[in-house]
Amino acid sequence: MKISESFVLALQNIRASKARAFLTMLGIIIGITAVMVIVGIGNGMEGYMRSMFQGLGTNTLTITMTGSGSSRELSVDDIQAIVDKNSSLFTALSPTVSMRGTVKVGSESLSSTSTTGVGEQYTTIKGYDLEQGRNINYVDIVARNRVCVVGNYIDDIWFSGRSVGQTLRIAGDKFTIVGVLDQQEDEMDEGGSDDMLLIPYSTAARLSGQGKPSSYTVMLADEDQTDFASDLLEQELYELLRSENAYRVSSMSAVLDTMTEMIGVVITVLAVIAGISLVVGGVGIMNIMLVSVTERTREIGIRKALGAKERYILSQFVIEAAVISALGGIIGIVMGFGLSSVATVAISTLLEVEMAVTPTIQSILIAFGGSAAIGIVFGYLPARKAALLNPIDALRYD
Amino acid sequence: MDQQKAPPLIEFRKVCKTYHMGDTVVRAADHIDLSIYEGEFVAIVGKSGSGKSTCMNIIGCLDVPTSGDYLLAGRNVGEMNKNELAEFRNEKLGFIFQQYNLLPKLSVLDNVAVPLMYAGKNRRERREIALHALDSVGLADKTRNLPSQLSGGQQQRVSIARALANNPSVILADEPTGALDSRTGREVLDLLRSLHAAGNTVVLITHDNSIAATAERVIRLEDGRVTFDGPADSPASGVHKEEVVGQ
Ligand SMILES: Nc1ncnc2c1ncn2[C@@H]1O[C@H](COP(=O)(O)OP(=O)(O)OP(=O)(O)O)[C@@H](O)[C@H]1O
Ligand SMILES: [Mg+2]
């Protein structure tokens, strides 16, 4: 007897009791759907984070001066010297000084606007282009000029697109607008990345009373050399400061890696929890198959009297369990896809975040293989029970 | 007489089957010797508990003797493993049960085809042979029905068709008329007789003497022993006498 005959027998039996087969599958269906959607969400989250971080620049390193552990305080020139010395690794440098203080246009306060003191290469590092006017230049920095480059939102909303030459106030000080940046986001919002001001870092440091900038952004020639460049920077800084606590070098790509790893852990844990429902589903299959073997004791006896070998009975029942389970797996996969697209739409409308919930091919293959395997594993015990039935006892059973 | 010279198809050599029920030992078969030759029509009769089903299980390769040898078609069944027993049941034996024992979810045609499937025949062969067997029991028009849609007599005829399908050496019928009224019972017996007339070896197991009288030869069992073995029309067979007494 061929194995295909066992499949036919299994399908006949499943067809003869559809409702029971479906209820038996339910555990598997739910488990597979849950695993797929969870893995899909994780996948989507990772993709979303990656695109966010790409915007922030994964080809940069950030140096933060903590000011502790060393008697020496580094100047912008010190850092510039390091960058110049390794010009094959580093292509640009900008100090960054964040400013607190209300921005006012006329008598209106712009509470969500962020103000950053930057160097002349900051726009290059960030990949910002100018829409109008000029960038902050060397002269502005040396002279601590009170000039600023504004984000497109400010130009649009507060100056109707004619902001160059106009003035605004930052913490009470009057600044002249010299340039407008290109629009960053598709839809400009208050507090978004178009609602910001750039001023010379030297001006920012003086006005906020910080002295030397405490943070620098360095652009890398090659993103793949992030680790090497980061090590080199740390080494150079250590030589100057002689304390590991006085500085910190961090890269967006390292942060991204850490975040990805964290998401991975969370998703794995969730998927394992969802996977437990697969085991529960498997136990359900075993339960039903045991009932089925008992119900069909007489059938088994008849089949044996007619010449069925133990292995035919075994394969008939194992295949029946595996087919039920695999069918559940297929339904679960279809539902997983359905639910994933629903989740994608729901997330984008409710959270206004473009995050595609996309189940991975791996998770689908694992889910399907796993469900079939669960059927085989949990179907084996009942099938063995059936196969080993004594034909005389089985024939007498009713 | 030359029939007697050929080796027997079924041969019991001091076959014993004992069951232990606590302290007591039940001898369901007690040193039974018998030979059944190809083409014979034999009835095994006896009162309830005399060991008929025990013999039938052994003849049917569903059970093996506790001691003694059982040879079917020249092979010692006691020495075969479970797989070989299954193969032997499939090739050599056609069972007809009192309760028909059809598979309720399969059509009549599929029921008849079950032993053919285990014999490794492909779909087309199965269909062809099963149709032929159903035709020979007069049920060619019921092939697509479920067993539950047939009368008892028709169901028993399906089970006869199933027993015939794989062209077995022995047709083994255990109380085939037990669940039928006397008229349909007669029809089934006539069918068995015609199978015998066509050259099949038929072993009929019954407690009913009048049914045993249908056969050529009677083997009477009492407490697991053979007390008579001879032609049905011999006065010592007891099958006619009791029938008269019964009426
Ligand atoms: N599995 C068993 N365990 C214990 N004793 C058994 C078993 N099977 C049969 N026996 C005993 O063996 C003896 C013969 O039983 P068997 O079933 O062969 O009788 P029978 O002639 O078929 O009777 P009936 O006409 O009632 O079917 C009986 O005493 C019975 O109780
Ligand atoms: Mg009996």
Side-chain angles (χ1 to χ4, degrees):
Chain A
M1 198 182 75
K2 289 194 229 82
I3 201 92
S4 60
E5 307 273 13
S6 300
F7 273 100
V8 174
L9 287 180
L11 287 173
Q12 273 171 355
N13 270 312
I14 291 167
R15 217 166 350 153
S17 47
K18 291 188 202 73
R20 175 195 278 201
F22 177 74
L23 290 176
T24 311
M25 288 172 199
L26 211 52
I28 301 289
I29 295 175
I30 292 169
I32 297 282
T33 308
V35 170
M36 270 184 65
V37 172
I38 288 168
V39 173
I41 287 175
N43 212 17
M45 264 162 81
E46 197 188 317
Y48 175 66
M49 298 256 305
R50 210 166 270 285
S51 68
M52 293 283 286
F53 273 73
Q54 227 87 56
L56 295 175
T58 45
N59 60 340
T60 58
L61 290 175
T62 304
I63 305 168
T64 311
M65 296 299 168
T66 59
S68 62
S70 174
S71 51
R72 206 178 147 188
E73 207 180 352
L74 297 185
S75 67
V76 176
D77 290 342
D78 291 324
I79 307 292
Q80 188 68 55
I82 298 174
V83 168
D84 290 346
K85 203 166 78 183
N86 301 287
S87 58
S88 62
L89 274 179
F90 307 116
T91 51
L93 167 73
S94 168
T96 52
V97 180
S98 53
M99 279 273 296
R100 262 171 282 264
T102 327
V103 178
K104 279 190 166 185
V105 176
S107 58
E108 304 268 7
S109 293
L110 282 57
S111 53
S112 309
T113 309
S114 65
T115 308
T116 315
V118 300
E120 66 211 271
Q121 290 182 317
Y122 186 78
T123 50
T124 315
I125 292 170
K126 289 287 180 184
Y128 295 160
D129 280 325
L130 282 164
E131 187 191 73
Q132 301 167 41
R134 66 167 179 88
N135 195 3
I136 288 162
N137 61 28
Y138 183 67
V139 177
D140 295 327
I141 289 162
V142 173
R144 298 194 173 94
N145 283 340
R146 307 211 166 168
V147 294
C148 70
V149 171
V150 300
N152 212 299
Y153 175 81
I154 295 179
D155 177 55
D156 224 45
I157 300 295
W158 297 102
F159 298 98
S160 314
R162 288 187 294 275
S163 58
V164 176
Q166 308 273 12
T167 60
L168 47 69
R169 283 176 186 279
I170 302 169
D173 292 293
K174 200 179 198 174
F175 280 72
T176 306
I177 299 170
V178 294
V180 178
L181 295 175
D182 264 343
Q183 191 172 334
Q184 305 297 321
E185 292 176 343
D186 291 342
E187 277 184 40
M188 297 191 292
D189 273 320
E190 192 175 350
S193 36
D194 290 293
D195 187 5
M196 55 108 132
L197 302 176
L198 300 178
I199 61 175
Y201 71 86
S202 51
T203 316
R206 161 163 299 180
L207 291 178
S208 59
Q210 284 176 28
K212 303 216 165 73
S214 59
S215 162
Y216 298 86
T217 304
V218 187
M219 183 157 89
L220 298 170
D222 182 358
E223 196 177 329
D224 294 339
Q225 285 183 310
T226 306
D227 290 341
F228 174 69
S230 172
D231 288 347
L232 185 117
L233 259 186
E234 288 193 3
Q235 210 173 315
E236 297 272 9
L237 290 167
Y238 183 79
E239 250 150 57
L240 294 173
L241 294 166
R242 296 274 146 209
S243 162
E244 283 181 1
N245 297 328
Y247 58 88
R248 203 169 59 235
V249 177
S250 55
S251 65
M252 276 303 168
S253 61
V255 175
L256 178 60
D257 286 349
T258 313
M259 299 282 275
T260 308
E261 217 170 283
M262 270 164 55
I263 292 173
V265 170
V266 172
I267 290 300
T268 308
V269 169
L270 287 177
V272 166
I273 292 171
I276 289 172
S277 73
L278 279 179
V279 176
V280 174
V283 173
I285 288 179
M286 178 154 71
N287 189 16
I288 290 294
M289 290 309 290
L290 278 172
V291 171
S292 174
V293 167
T294 308
E295 275 181 359
R296 284 151 67 186
T297 299
R298 204 178 174 85
E299 174 192 331
I300 294 159
I302 296 167
R303 288 186 182 277
K304 286 193 149 189
L306 299 180
K309 294 178 186 172
E310 282 181 1
R311 64 165 185 277
Y312 299 159
I313 303 287
L314 184 83
S315 66
Q316 180 187 337
F317 280 87
V318 166
I319 287 173
E320 190 172 327
V323 167
I324 287 179
S325 192
L327 278 178
I330 290 171
I331 297 174
I333 288 169
V334 171
M335 284 190 42
F337 272 116
L339 218 60
S340 294
S341 3
V342 171
T344 304
V345 174
I347 289 169
S348 72
T349 52
L350 295 178
L351 305 178
E352 295 181 5
V353 167
E354 289 305 322
M355 190 182 112
V357 179
T358 41
T360 60
I361 295 291
Q362 276 153 292
S363 74
I364 294 165
L365 292 181
I366 291 172
F368 183 73
S371 63
I374 279 170
I376 291 170
V377 168
F378 287 93
Y380 184 79
L381 193 82
R384 215 177 97 87
K385 192 184 152 188
L388 294 180
L389 279 177
N390 177 354
I392 302 170
D393 297 338
L395 277 171
R396 247 200 304 257
Y397 185 91
D398 38 26
Chain B
M1 262 297 139
D2 61 15
Q3 185 193 43
Q4 305 292 94
K5 276 179 217 151
L9 183 58
I10 290 170
E11 187 177 5
F12 274 34
R13 291 181 187 157
K14 296 191 171 39
V15 165
C16 293
K17 183 78 193 181
T18 50
Y19 294 105
H20 296 265
M21 304 292 286
D23 291 340
T24 57
V25 178
V26 180
R27 293 183 182 280
D30 192 2
H31 295 87
I32 297 180
D33 281 301
L34 60 84
S35 299
I36 296 172
Y37 294 87
E38 208 176 310
E40 277 195 293
F41 185 2
V42 179
I44 297 177
V45 280
K47 293 201 282 285
S48 182
S50 57
K52 302 184 298 291
S53 295
T54 305
C55 281
M56 133 108 186
N57 289 338
I58 292 172
I59 294 172
C61 301
L62 292 165
D63 206 353
V64 287
T66 316
S67 69
D69 293 316
Y70 165 44
L71 282 76
L72 175 60
R75 284 199 58 190
N76 192 334
V77 172
E79 286 166 2
M80 295 202 269
N81 64 29
K82 285 181 180 176
N83 267 343
E84 290 172 317
L85 285 174
E87 267 170 36
F88 233 49
R89 283 197 292 271
N90 183 249
E91 285 170 20
K92 306 287 182 201
L93 294 153
F95 289 93
I96 301 166
F97 301 98
Q98 179 175 357
Q99 298 298 336
Y100 328 130
N101 278 346
L102 299 174
L103 299 178
K105 285 175 195 162
L106 298 188
S107 72
V108 162
L109 186 76
D110 286 343
N111 260 289
V112 176
V114 169
L116 300 169
M117 177 179 76
Y118 293 125
K121 300 254 191 304
N122 69 34
R123 246 159 202 289
R124 235 186 25 156
E125 289 172 317
R126 280 178 349 219
R127 206 186 136 71
E128 226 164 80
I129 298 169
L131 276 174
H132 183 76
L134 281 167
D135 193 35
S136 71
V137 299
L139 284 174
D141 55 334
K142 301 284 186 194
T143 54
R144 301 170 71 89
N145 289 63
L146 288 176
S148 58
Q149 296 164 334
L150 302 183
S151 73
Q154 288 171 327
Q155 290 190 50
Q156 193 60 299
R157 270 145 67 196
V158 174
S159 95
I160 292 171
R162 181 178 67 185
L164 285 175
N166 208 20
N167 195 23
S169 310
V170 184
I171 292 170
L172 203 50
D174 187 9
E175 303 279 9
T177 60
L180 302 172
D181 63 56
S182 56
R183 207 173 61 84
T184 36
R186 262 309 125 194
E187 282 172 23
V188 167
L189 289 177
D190 286 343
L191 202 50
L192 288 180
R193 231 186 322 232
S194 67
L195 292 179
H196 168 237
N200 289 290
T201 311
V202 180
V203 178
L204 170 67
I205 286 154
T206 180
H207 68 278
D208 187 334
N209 286 315
S210 63
I211 289 166
T214 347
E216 286 181 330
R217 174 180 160 198
V218 168
I219 296 172
R220 179 171 296 280
L221 292 179
E222 264 169 54
D223 295 331
R225 291 168 199 265
V226 178
T227 56
F228 175 82
D229 184 354
D233 46 17
S234 146
S237 73
V239 294
H240 294 288
K241 201 177 66 190
E242 276 188 33
E243 189 182 13
V244 175
V245 169
Q247 281 171 353

